[in-house]
C-alpha cells in the first residue's frame, strides 16, 4: 500500500523544541552579526524549526538584561535598551560623518532605492565619490537593483548593519522630522521660502539644505 506523501517522515526525528532553542541560542551568542532564519535551519539538524525556536526564545528573554531582537530579516541578541548606559565604556567610537555623508545617508534611508542623480537632485548639490565610498565602507548602505531606465543607473539602499546600529527592525521604524530635529540631526529652522509642515510627507525633500 502506497504511503501518503503528506505522512512521510524524516529518517531522523527532529530534536525536542527545548534542544532546538538551545542550539539557536548558542549560534546567536557566538555570532558577531545577526543571523537569518535560513542560515539557522541550515546549521541545525534536519527537521528543526528555527523560526519556532526563535519565537520561544524571544518570549523567554522578554524583560531580561539581554533581548532577542529582529534586525531586518535576521536575529541577534542585544543589551536591553534601558541598560545601554552600562555599556558606555565598551562602545566603539566611530569616526564622525561629514554633513554631506549624514544628509546622503538620510536621503537613502528615507527614499530607498535611490540613484546618485536622485540624491543630488534632493540635496541640490553634486555628490562626491568619497561620500558614497565612506558609507559603503561603513557597510551602512549597499548597491540595490539597477533602474530600468536609460543607462541603467545603480540604486542605493540601507543595510541590516545600518538598522542594527540604530536599533531599527526595518526602515519603516525610522523617526520622523520632529524626532530628527529634536536629536539635533537636522536644522530646526525650515529652508528659506519653504513652509513648515511636519505631517506632509511631500516635504521630506525640503529637510536637506545645500552645503555652504
Amino acid at each position: 500500500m502506497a504511503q501518503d506523501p503528506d505522512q512521510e517522515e524524516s529518517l531522523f526525528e527532529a530534536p525536542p523544541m527545548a534542544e532546538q532553542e538551545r542550539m539557536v541560542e548558542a549560534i546567536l551568542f557566538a555570532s558577531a552579526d545577526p543571523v537569518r532564519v535560513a542560515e539557522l535551519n541550515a546549521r541545525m539538524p534536519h527537521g528543526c524549526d528555527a523560526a519556532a525556536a526563535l519565537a520561544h526564545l524571544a518570549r523567554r528573554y522578554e524583560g531580561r538584561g539581554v533581548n532577542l531582537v529582529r534586525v531586518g530579516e535576521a536575529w541577534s541578541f542585544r543589551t536591553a535598551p534601558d541598560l545601554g548606559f552600562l555599556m558606555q565604556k565598551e562602545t566603539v567610537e566611530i569616526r564622525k560623518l561629514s554633513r554631506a555623508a549624514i544628509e546622503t545617508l538620510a536621503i537613502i534611508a528615507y527614499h530607498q532605492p535611490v540613484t546618485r542623480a536622485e540624491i543630488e537632485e534632493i540635496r541640490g548639490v553634486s555628490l562626491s565619490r568619497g561620500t558614497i565610498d565612506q558609507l559603503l565602507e561603513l557597510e551602512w548602505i549597499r548597491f540595490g537593483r539597477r533602474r530600468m531606465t536609460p543607462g541603467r543607473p545603480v540604486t542605493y539602499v540601507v543595510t541590516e548593519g545600518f538598522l542594527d546600529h540604530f536599533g531599527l527592525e526595518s526602515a519603516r521604524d525610522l523617526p520622523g522630522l520632529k524626532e530628527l530635529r529634536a536629536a539635533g540631526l537636522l536644522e530646526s529652522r525650515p529652508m528659506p521660502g519653504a513652509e513648515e509642515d511636519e505631517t506632509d510627507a511631500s516635504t521630506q525633500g525640503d529637510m536637506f539644505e545645500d552645503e555652504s
Side-chain angles (χ1 to χ4, degrees):
M1 181 176 177
Q3 185 178 17
D4 187 341
D6 293 336
Q7 295 178 345
E8 290 182 359
E9 297 181 356
S10 169
L11 295 176
F12 304 97
E13 185 177 356
M17 182 53 64
E19 186 64 18
Q20 294 184 43
E21 288 181 49
R22 294 181 66 241
M23 293 178 185
V24 170
E25 187 177 34
I27 293 172
L28 293 181
F29 264 117
S31 177
D33 301 312
V35 183
R36 293 172 178 261
V37 175
E39 183 180 348
L40 290 170
N41 280 324
R43 296 172 63 176
M44 295 166 66
H46 184 73
C48 287
D49 187 346
L54 284 166
H56 287 290
L57 276 178
R59 287 193 293 270
R60 185 193 302 179
Y61 277 91
E62 287 179 357
R64 303 291 298 273
V66 175
N67 299 149
L68 179 60
V69 298
R70 183 172 180 174
V71 181
E73 297 300 321
W75 292 81
S76 181
F77 282 112
R78 290 291 181 265
T79 302
D82 61 317
L83 300 180
F85 70 95
L86 296 173
M87 305 295 114
Q88 288 180 352
K89 292 185 179 180
E90 305 299 328
T91 301
V92 176
E93 184 177 357
I94 298 177
R95 60 185 178 183
K96 186 176 181 180
L97 292 177
S98 66
R99 177 175 176 178
I102 293 175
E103 292 179 352
T104 300
L105 179 62
I107 291 171
I108 295 172
Y110 281 94
H111 297 270
Q112 64 177 342
V114 61
T115 66
R116 182 190 191 92
E118 290 166 343
I119 295 172
E120 293 178 337
E121 181 180 357
I122 294 173
R123 293 189 64 232
V125 294
S126 61
L127 181 63
S128 70
R129 178 69 183 179
T131 299
I132 288 292
D133 286 344
Q134 183 182 16
L135 296 176
L136 288 170
E137 183 181 346
L138 287 172
E139 297 184 348
W140 282 358
I141 67 171
R142 63 176 176 82
F143 295 110
R145 293 183 178 179
R146 289 183 177 272
R147 284 280 169 82
M148 300 302 291
T149 55
R152 299 203 62 195
V154 298
T155 61
Y156 299 97
V157 298
V158 295
T159 64
E160 288 183 350
F162 166 85
L163 299 176
D164 187 22
H165 182 84
F166 291 99
L168 304 171
E169 180 175 326
S170 71
R172 292 189 298 271
D173 299 321
L174 285 165
L177 298 185
K178 288 182 178 179
E179 290 82 357
L180 289 174
R181 285 180 178 141
L185 297 178
L186 291 178
E187 296 288 345
S188 59
R189 57 185 175 84
M191 290 182 63
E195 295 185 359
E196 187 80 1
D197 186 355
E198 298 280 357
T199 61
D200 187 355
S202 66
T203 62
Q204 278 194 354
D206 292 334
M207 63 184 180
F208 305 105
E209 298 184 345
D210 294 350
E211 287 185 321
S212 55

